[in-house]
mmCIF file of all heavy atoms in Angstrom:
data_model
loop_
_atom_site.group_PDB
_atom_site.id
_atom_site.type_symbol
_atom_site.label_atom_id
_atom_site.label_comp_id
_atom_site.label_asym_id
_atom_site.label_seq_id
_atom_site.Cartn_x
_atom_site.Cartn_y
_atom_site.Cartn_z
ATOM 1 N N ILE A 27 -100.170 -3.924 -61.883
ATOM 2 C CA ILE A 27 -100.945 -4.130 -60.647
ATOM 3 C C ILE A 27 -101.757 -5.411 -60.831
ATOM 4 O O ILE A 27 -102.606 -5.492 -61.722
ATOM 5 C CB ILE A 27 -101.844 -2.911 -60.351
ATOM 6 C CG1 ILE A 27 -100.930 -1.680 -60.114
ATOM 7 C CG2 ILE A 27 -102.728 -3.156 -59.133
ATOM 8 C CD1 ILE A 27 -101.625 -0.363 -59.982
ATOM 9 N N SER A 28 -101.486 -6.414 -60.017
ATOM 10 C CA SER A 28 -102.096 -7.735 -60.227
ATOM 11 C C SER A 28 -103.578 -7.736 -59.834
ATOM 12 O O SER A 28 -104.062 -6.810 -59.163
ATOM 13 C CB SER A 28 -101.346 -8.804 -59.428
ATOM 14 O OG SER A 28 -101.765 -8.755 -58.069
ATOM 15 N N GLY A 29 -104.252 -8.810 -60.188
ATOM 16 C CA GLY A 29 -105.686 -8.939 -59.873
ATOM 17 C C GLY A 29 -105.953 -8.991 -58.376
ATOM 18 O O GLY A 29 -106.997 -8.551 -57.896
ATOM 19 N N GLN A 30 -105.009 -9.507 -57.596
ATOM 20 C CA GLN A 30 -105.186 -9.633 -56.127
ATOM 21 C C GLN A 30 -104.796 -8.345 -55.385
ATOM 22 O O GLN A 30 -105.084 -8.185 -54.209
ATOM 23 C CB GLN A 30 -104.349 -10.770 -55.528
ATOM 24 C CG GLN A 30 -104.500 -12.132 -56.146
ATOM 25 C CD GLN A 30 -103.522 -12.344 -57.276
ATOM 26 O OE1 GLN A 30 -103.779 -11.916 -58.374
ATOM 27 N NE2 GLN A 30 -102.387 -12.988 -57.021
ATOM 28 N N ALA A 31 -104.095 -7.452 -56.109
ATOM 29 C CA ALA A 31 -103.566 -6.251 -55.447
ATOM 30 C C ALA A 31 -104.689 -5.275 -55.107
ATOM 31 O O ALA A 31 -105.771 -5.304 -55.686
ATOM 32 C CB ALA A 31 -102.559 -5.568 -56.353
ATOM 33 N N MET A 32 -104.371 -4.370 -54.158
ATOM 34 C CA MET A 32 -105.312 -3.327 -53.795
ATOM 35 C C MET A 32 -104.521 -2.021 -53.637
ATOM 36 O O MET A 32 -103.572 -1.957 -52.847
ATOM 37 C CB MET A 32 -105.958 -3.722 -52.451
ATOM 38 C CG MET A 32 -107.366 -3.308 -52.221
ATOM 39 S SD MET A 32 -107.862 -1.714 -52.301
ATOM 40 C CE MET A 32 -107.101 -0.972 -50.956
ATOM 41 N N VAL A 33 -104.862 -1.028 -54.416
ATOM 42 C CA VAL A 33 -104.165 0.261 -54.352
ATOM 43 C C VAL A 33 -105.186 1.352 -54.061
ATOM 44 O O VAL A 33 -106.201 1.453 -54.751
ATOM 45 C CB VAL A 33 -103.428 0.574 -55.675
ATOM 46 C CG1 VAL A 33 -102.789 1.968 -55.602
ATOM 47 C CG2 VAL A 33 -102.351 -0.477 -55.951
ATOM 48 N N GLU A 34 -104.908 2.169 -53.051
ATOM 49 C CA GLU A 34 -105.834 3.240 -52.670
ATOM 50 C C GLU A 34 -105.058 4.530 -52.409
ATOM 51 O O GLU A 34 -104.089 4.547 -51.658
ATOM 52 C CB GLU A 34 -106.602 2.809 -51.413
ATOM 53 C CG GLU A 34 -107.641 3.804 -50.931
ATOM 54 C CD GLU A 34 -108.290 3.315 -49.654
ATOM 55 O OE1 GLU A 34 -109.260 2.568 -49.750
ATOM 56 O OE2 GLU A 34 -107.808 3.631 -48.554
ATOM 57 N N ARG A 35 -105.436 5.604 -53.080
ATOM 58 C CA ARG A 35 -104.922 6.950 -52.805
ATOM 59 C C ARG A 35 -103.387 6.981 -52.739
ATOM 60 O O ARG A 35 -102.812 7.388 -51.769
ATOM 61 C CB ARG A 35 -105.520 7.466 -51.498
ATOM 62 C CG ARG A 35 -105.568 8.970 -51.332
ATOM 63 C CD ARG A 35 -106.430 9.369 -50.200
ATOM 64 N NE ARG A 35 -106.116 10.722 -49.750
ATOM 65 C CZ ARG A 35 -105.293 11.019 -48.748
ATOM 66 N NH1 ARG A 35 -104.696 10.082 -48.080
ATOM 67 N NH2 ARG A 35 -105.068 12.283 -48.398
ATOM 68 N N SER A 36 -102.755 6.531 -53.812
ATOM 69 C CA SER A 36 -101.293 6.434 -53.826
ATOM 70 C C SER A 36 -100.751 6.874 -55.177
ATOM 71 O O SER A 36 -101.449 6.862 -56.183
ATOM 72 C CB SER A 36 -100.851 4.987 -53.551
ATOM 73 O OG SER A 36 -101.285 4.596 -52.252
ATOM 74 N N LEU A 37 -99.475 7.285 -55.183
ATOM 75 C CA LEU A 37 -98.756 7.528 -56.429
ATOM 76 C C LEU A 37 -97.913 6.290 -56.707
ATOM 77 O O LEU A 37 -97.089 5.895 -55.873
ATOM 78 C CB LEU A 37 -97.827 8.740 -56.301
ATOM 79 C CG LEU A 37 -98.452 10.140 -56.217
ATOM 80 C CD1 LEU A 37 -97.331 11.187 -56.130
ATOM 81 C CD2 LEU A 37 -99.320 10.439 -57.388
ATOM 82 N N ILE A 38 -98.097 5.697 -57.872
ATOM 83 C CA ILE A 38 -97.335 4.503 -58.260
ATOM 84 C C ILE A 38 -96.546 4.840 -59.521
ATOM 85 O O ILE A 38 -97.119 5.176 -60.556
ATOM 86 C CB ILE A 38 -98.261 3.284 -58.535
ATOM 87 C CG1 ILE A 38 -99.287 3.085 -57.400
ATOM 88 C CG2 ILE A 38 -97.433 2.033 -58.777
ATOM 89 C CD1 ILE A 38 -98.759 2.584 -56.110
ATOM 90 N N SER A 39 -95.226 4.734 -59.458
ATOM 91 C CA SER A 39 -94.377 5.117 -60.595
ATOM 92 C C SER A 39 -94.220 3.970 -61.596
ATOM 93 O O SER A 39 -94.619 2.822 -61.333
ATOM 94 C CB SER A 39 -93.012 5.577 -60.093
ATOM 95 O OG SER A 39 -93.159 6.634 -59.178
ATOM 96 N N ASN A 40 -93.587 4.286 -62.720
ATOM 97 C CA ASN A 40 -93.352 3.287 -63.766
ATOM 98 C C ASN A 40 -92.488 2.139 -63.258
ATOM 99 O O ASN A 40 -91.659 2.309 -62.348
ATOM 100 C CB ASN A 40 -92.637 3.925 -64.964
ATOM 101 C CG ASN A 40 -93.583 4.746 -65.797
ATOM 102 O OD1 ASN A 40 -94.789 4.760 -65.568
ATOM 103 N ND2 ASN A 40 -93.055 5.434 -66.799
ATOM 104 N N GLY A 41 -92.683 0.985 -63.904
ATOM 105 C CA GLY A 41 -91.826 -0.170 -63.607
ATOM 106 C C GLY A 41 -92.151 -0.894 -62.315
ATOM 107 O O GLY A 41 -91.466 -1.847 -61.949
ATOM 108 N N CYS A 42 -93.201 -0.458 -61.597
ATOM 109 C CA CYS A 42 -93.568 -1.123 -60.337
ATOM 110 C C CYS A 42 -94.345 -2.403 -60.609
ATOM 111 O O CYS A 42 -95.098 -2.503 -61.583
ATOM 112 C CB CYS A 42 -94.430 -0.205 -59.462
ATOM 113 S SG CYS A 42 -93.504 1.161 -58.752
ATOM 114 N N GLU A 43 -94.188 -3.342 -59.692
ATOM 115 C CA GLU A 43 -95.018 -4.546 -59.696
ATOM 116 C C GLU A 43 -95.687 -4.652 -58.330
ATOM 117 O O GLU A 43 -95.010 -4.809 -57.301
ATOM 118 C CB GLU A 43 -94.160 -5.785 -59.967
ATOM 119 C CG GLU A 43 -93.537 -5.798 -61.376
ATOM 120 C CD GLU A 43 -92.722 -7.040 -61.622
ATOM 121 O OE1 GLU A 43 -93.136 -8.135 -61.175
ATOM 122 O OE2 GLU A 43 -91.646 -6.937 -62.253
ATOM 123 N N ILE A 44 -97.007 -4.544 -58.327
ATOM 124 C CA ILE A 44 -97.763 -4.524 -57.068
ATOM 125 C C ILE A 44 -98.633 -5.781 -56.995
ATOM 126 O O ILE A 44 -99.546 -5.968 -57.808
ATOM 127 C CB ILE A 44 -98.665 -3.262 -56.954
ATOM 128 C CG1 ILE A 44 -97.885 -1.980 -57.304
ATOM 129 C CG2 ILE A 44 -99.296 -3.188 -55.560
ATOM 130 C CD1 ILE A 44 -96.857 -1.541 -56.347
ATOM 131 N N TYR A 45 -98.341 -6.631 -56.035
ATOM 132 C CA TYR A 45 -99.135 -7.849 -55.815
ATOM 133 C C TYR A 45 -99.876 -7.771 -54.475
ATOM 134 O O TYR A 45 -100.759 -8.568 -54.218
ATOM 135 C CB TYR A 45 -98.230 -9.096 -55.827
ATOM 136 C CG TYR A 45 -97.465 -9.249 -57.130
ATOM 137 C CD1 TYR A 45 -96.175 -8.744 -57.260
ATOM 138 C CD2 TYR A 45 -98.049 -9.865 -58.229
ATOM 139 C CE1 TYR A 45 -95.466 -8.859 -58.444
ATOM 140 C CE2 TYR A 45 -97.342 -9.993 -59.432
ATOM 141 C CZ TYR A 45 -96.061 -9.481 -59.528
ATOM 142 O OH TYR A 45 -95.378 -9.589 -60.711
ATOM 143 N N GLY A 46 -99.466 -6.824 -53.618
ATOM 144 C CA GLY A 46 -100.054 -6.698 -52.279
ATOM 145 C C GLY A 46 -100.987 -5.498 -52.186
ATOM 146 O O GLY A 46 -101.656 -5.110 -53.146
ATOM 147 N N GLU A 47 -100.972 -4.855 -51.020
ATOM 148 C CA GLU A 47 -101.896 -3.754 -50.729
ATOM 149 C C GLU A 47 -101.101 -2.456 -50.481
ATOM 150 O O GLU A 47 -100.145 -2.459 -49.706
ATOM 151 C CB GLU A 47 -102.693 -4.144 -49.471
ATOM 152 C CG GLU A 47 -103.869 -3.283 -49.170
ATOM 153 C CD GLU A 47 -104.608 -3.802 -47.934
ATOM 154 O OE1 GLU A 47 -104.998 -4.995 -47.893
ATOM 155 O OE2 GLU A 47 -104.774 -3.019 -46.997
ATOM 156 N N VAL A 48 -101.500 -1.387 -51.131
ATOM 157 C CA VAL A 48 -100.822 -0.092 -50.963
ATOM 158 C C VAL A 48 -101.870 0.968 -50.648
ATOM 159 O O VAL A 48 -102.815 1.158 -51.412
ATOM 160 C CB VAL A 48 -100.057 0.325 -52.240
ATOM 161 C CG1 VAL A 48 -99.325 1.654 -52.017
ATOM 162 C CG2 VAL A 48 -99.068 -0.743 -52.672
ATOM 163 N N ARG A 49 -101.713 1.667 -49.521
ATOM 164 C CA ARG A 49 -102.652 2.725 -49.145
ATOM 165 C C ARG A 49 -101.890 3.998 -48.754
ATOM 166 O O ARG A 49 -100.893 3.933 -48.020
ATOM 167 C CB ARG A 49 -103.518 2.281 -47.956
ATOM 168 C CG ARG A 49 -104.420 1.080 -48.246
ATOM 169 C CD ARG A 49 -105.222 0.698 -47.007
ATOM 170 N NE ARG A 49 -105.927 -0.547 -47.192
ATOM 171 C CZ ARG A 49 -107.155 -0.660 -47.684
ATOM 172 N NH1 ARG A 49 -107.818 0.416 -48.026
ATOM 173 N NH2 ARG A 49 -107.731 -1.848 -47.821
ATOM 174 N N ASN A 50 -102.333 5.117 -49.233
ATOM 175 C CA ASN A 50 -101.780 6.435 -48.835
ATOM 176 C C ASN A 50 -100.257 6.472 -48.903
ATOM 177 O O ASN A 50 -99.587 6.856 -47.941
ATOM 178 C CB ASN A 50 -102.203 6.795 -47.392
ATOM 179 C CG ASN A 50 -103.675 7.019 -47.288
ATOM 180 O OD1 ASN A 50 -104.359 7.235 -48.280
ATOM 181 N ND2 ASN A 50 -104.178 6.968 -46.110
ATOM 182 N N SER A 51 -99.702 6.053 -50.008
ATOM 183 C CA SER A 51 -98.246 5.952 -50.093
ATOM 184 C C SER A 51 -97.734 6.510 -51.426
ATOM 185 O O SER A 51 -98.472 6.639 -52.398
ATOM 186 C CB SER A 51 -97.806 4.493 -49.937
ATOM 187 O OG SER A 51 -98.127 4.041 -48.624
ATOM 188 N N VAL A 52 -96.434 6.831 -51.421
ATOM 189 C CA VAL A 52 -95.757 7.292 -52.642
ATOM 190 C C VAL A 52 -94.720 6.235 -52.995
ATOM 191 O O VAL A 52 -93.773 5.998 -52.232
ATOM 192 C CB VAL A 52 -95.090 8.668 -52.416
ATOM 193 C CG1 VAL A 52 -94.287 9.079 -53.646
ATOM 194 C CG2 VAL A 52 -96.153 9.731 -52.111
ATOM 195 N N ILE A 53 -94.908 5.612 -54.147
ATOM 196 C CA ILE A 53 -94.081 4.467 -54.535
ATOM 197 C C ILE A 53 -93.222 4.855 -55.739
ATOM 198 O O ILE A 53 -93.732 5.213 -56.804
ATOM 199 C CB ILE A 53 -94.966 3.228 -54.873
ATOM 200 C CG1 ILE A 53 -95.983 2.951 -53.748
ATOM 201 C CG2 ILE A 53 -94.109 2.025 -55.168
ATOM 202 C CD1 ILE A 53 -95.388 2.602 -52.408
ATOM 203 N N GLY A 54 -91.894 4.769 -55.574
ATOM 204 C CA GLY A 54 -90.949 5.143 -56.631
ATOM 205 C C GLY A 54 -90.886 4.114 -57.742
ATOM 206 O O GLY A 54 -91.563 3.067 -57.713
ATOM 207 N N ALA A 55 -90.050 4.384 -58.736
ATOM 208 C CA ALA A 55 -89.965 3.538 -59.929
ATOM 209 C C ALA A 55 -89.351 2.172 -59.604
ATOM 210 O O ALA A 55 -88.451 2.055 -58.768
ATOM 211 C CB ALA A 55 -89.131 4.253 -60.986
ATOM 212 N N GLY A 56 -89.859 1.144 -60.293
ATOM 213 C CA GLY A 56 -89.256 -0.190 -60.196
ATOM 214 C C GLY A 56 -89.365 -0.853 -58.835
ATOM 215 O O GLY A 56 -88.573 -1.741 -58.507
ATOM 216 N N VAL A 57 -90.364 -0.481 -58.049
ATOM 217 C CA VAL A 57 -90.574 -1.090 -56.728
ATOM 218 C C VAL A 57 -91.403 -2.373 -56.888
ATOM 219 O O VAL A 57 -92.349 -2.415 -57.688
ATOM 220 C CB VAL A 57 -91.298 -0.098 -55.775
ATOM 221 C CG1 VAL A 57 -91.809 -0.795 -54.513
ATOM 222 C CG2 VAL A 57 -90.359 1.060 -55.410
ATOM 223 N N THR A 58 -91.054 -3.398 -56.128
ATOM 224 C CA THR A 58 -91.849 -4.634 -56.113
ATOM 225 C C THR A 58 -92.455 -4.820 -54.715
ATOM 226 O O THR A 58 -91.724 -4.769 -53.709
ATOM 227 C CB THR A 58 -90.977 -5.856 -56.465
ATOM 228 O OG1 THR A 58 -90.383 -5.636 -57.755
ATOM 229 C CG2 THR A 58 -91.800 -7.136 -56.496
ATOM 230 N N ILE A 59 -93.771 -5.004 -54.653
ATOM 231 C CA ILE A 59 -94.465 -5.293 -53.392
ATOM 232 C C ILE A 59 -95.139 -6.649 -53.564
ATOM 233 O O ILE A 59 -96.066 -6.806 -54.355
ATOM 234 C CB ILE A 59 -95.486 -4.178 -53.054
ATOM 235 C CG1 ILE A 59 -94.733 -2.846 -52.852
ATOM 236 C CG2 ILE A 59 -96.299 -4.535 -51.810
ATOM 237 C CD1 ILE A 59 -95.619 -1.631 -52.696
ATOM 238 N N GLU A 60 -94.632 -7.636 -52.840
ATOM 239 C CA GLU A 60 -95.056 -9.027 -53.034
ATOM 240 C C GLU A 60 -96.443 -9.303 -52.439
ATOM 241 O O GLU A 60 -97.005 -8.488 -51.703
ATOM 242 C CB GLU A 60 -94.020 -9.974 -52.414
ATOM 243 C CG GLU A 60 -92.617 -9.862 -53.038
ATOM 244 C CD GLU A 60 -92.459 -10.570 -54.356
ATOM 245 O OE1 GLU A 60 -93.489 -11.038 -54.892
ATOM 246 O OE2 GLU A 60 -91.313 -10.670 -54.854
ATOM 247 N N GLU A 61 -96.949 -10.497 -52.738
ATOM 248 C CA GLU A 61 -98.289 -10.897 -52.270
ATOM 249 C C GLU A 61 -98.400 -10.837 -50.753
ATOM 250 O O GLU A 61 -97.463 -11.196 -50.026
ATOM 251 C CB GLU A 61 -98.602 -12.340 -52.683
ATOM 252 C CG GLU A 61 -98.599 -12.652 -54.065
ATOM 253 C CD GLU A 61 -98.594 -14.128 -54.363
ATOM 254 O OE1 GLU A 61 -99.004 -14.921 -53.498
ATOM 255 O OE2 GLU A 61 -98.165 -14.481 -55.466
ATOM 256 N N GLY A 62 -99.571 -10.412 -50.315
ATOM 257 C CA GLY A 62 -99.854 -10.409 -48.873
ATOM 258 C C GLY A 62 -99.206 -9.265 -48.120
ATOM 259 O O GLY A 62 -99.446 -9.077 -46.932
ATOM 260 N N ALA A 63 -98.334 -8.484 -48.790
ATOM 261 C CA ALA A 63 -97.687 -7.346 -48.113
ATOM 262 C C ALA A 63 -98.660 -6.163 -48.068
ATOM 263 O O ALA A 63 -99.459 -5.960 -48.985
ATOM 264 C CB ALA A 63 -96.415 -6.941 -48.850
ATOM 265 N N VAL A 64 -98.571 -5.383 -46.976
ATOM 266 C CA VAL A 64 -99.408 -4.190 -46.810
ATOM 267 C C VAL A 64 -98.480 -2.994 -46.568
ATOM 268 O O VAL A 64 -97.661 -3.018 -45.646
ATOM 269 C CB VAL A 64 -100.382 -4.346 -45.613
ATOM 270 C CG1 VAL A 64 -101.231 -3.086 -45.454
ATOM 271 C CG2 VAL A 64 -101.268 -5.573 -45.790
#
C-alpha cells in the first residue's frame, strides 16, 4: 500500500498493489489499483 494510497474498511488480499483509494471493498489476491483510482 503506497504512501499516497488510502484504504478504509476493506479486505485486501496478498500480492495486491494499492496506489489509489479503496473504501468498503473486498479485494482479491494480486489486484493492482493505480494512482488516482477510486
Side-chain angles (χ1 to χ4, degrees):
I27 297 173
S28 80
Q30 307 90 278
M32 212 303 292
V33 176
E34 182 183 273
R35 204 167 160 265
S36 298
L37 289 181
I38 312 289
S39 303
N40 284 354
C42 289
E43 295 181 39
I44 312 290
Y45 302 94
E47 192 178 306
V48 182
R49 297 179 189 270
N50 294 342
S51 295
V52 175
I53 309 297
V57 167
T58 302
I59 297 172
E60 299 281 8
E61 300 166 22
V64 179

